[in-house]
Amino acid sequence: ADLAQARLAALARRTSRVPLGTLDKTGLALEERTFADAARLHPLADLYRSDVVSLAHLRNTISPVMPAAALASYEVPDVEGLAEALGSDETRLEFVDLVLSSHLEWELPVSDVAAERGHAELVEAILARLREVDSRRAGEVRAITLSSRTLAEARGPVGLAWHDVARPEEERLAGRLSALADQVGDEGDDGPEGEGREAGGERESHEREVRDLLGYLRDFSAGGGFSPMGGSDEGSGRHGSPGQGEGPQGPFWDGPFSEN
């Protein structure tokens, strides 16, 4: 590989051309480079590997310029537990890219990513691999910016020891507020009879504020009415998402960048 890169660099100097690379965002995030790189520009370095495969399939619908064997020969990053948790390479790659995009572009906490995608331990393993490779990534790759947040922009502080983990529902803010609302309701039910109208009105106002707050939390959570990832069909918050058949259709691929 190093010899091929050396020949590419020599050819580029001799012909005054710009050598291009084939790195993608998935590989940069989770795979360590063990060879010299003569490429001066990586056009796909800000595009996830599953999106590259989807675009290749889309191009083949116009005319079959790429053989089917080439489209089926992509690699999946080596993440602990990935092969055991998911079946096919396509499913594994899509899951990895969805976790990465949820964390990098959408900046969702690990608990929200795990709640949205499932496989909490696998989500933590993918993000742990991201941090491991990020600390050893050599330099910044020149690429065409295609997403709302590149790997360089998402890089955390050097030496940061803290990292987020998937938390159980009762430890998350929504769960704690829900328990608080239940407690307020129980206290209201067990109150002494004959309370004044003013005290009862204050309690009802407090309960209504708690319910409104919970509704807004559901709206802004992953899958809520205001979620950039699209709400569920059940409008459980104050601003429920539209049902099936309503609203605009989503983009060709699930990513935070323009189809243009």
Side-chain angles (χ1 to χ4, degrees), residues 61-131:
T61 61
I62 302 173
S63 58
V65 295
M66 286 170 277
L71 296 179
S73 62
Y74 53 84
E75 297 180 356
V76 180
D78 184 16
V79 178
E80 183 179 358
L82 182 61
E84 294 78 6
L86 301 173
S88 65
D89 287 346
E90 182 180 5
T91 304
R92 296 169 192 163
L93 183 60
E94 289 180 353
F95 182 84
V96 167
D97 287 346
L98 286 173
V99 171
L100 289 176
S101 62
S102 299
H103 177 72
L104 296 173
E105 275 84 6
W106 302 118
E107 302 183 59
L108 295 178
V110 177
S111 297
D112 287 351
V113 178
E116 178 74 18
R117 308 301 181 190
H119 304 284
E121 294 183 358
L122 186 54
V123 170
E124 292 185 0
I126 293 172
L127 298 182
R129 178 63 179 170
L130 172 65
R131 292 191 299 271

Side-chain angles (χ1 to χ4, degrees), residues 5-24:
Q5 293 295 323
R7 290 179 176 175
L8 176 61
L11 177 63
R13 285 195 300 268
R14 187 169 62 252
T15 59
S16 299
R17 304 294 177 88
V18 177
L20 302 180
T22 59
L23 294 177
D24 54 53

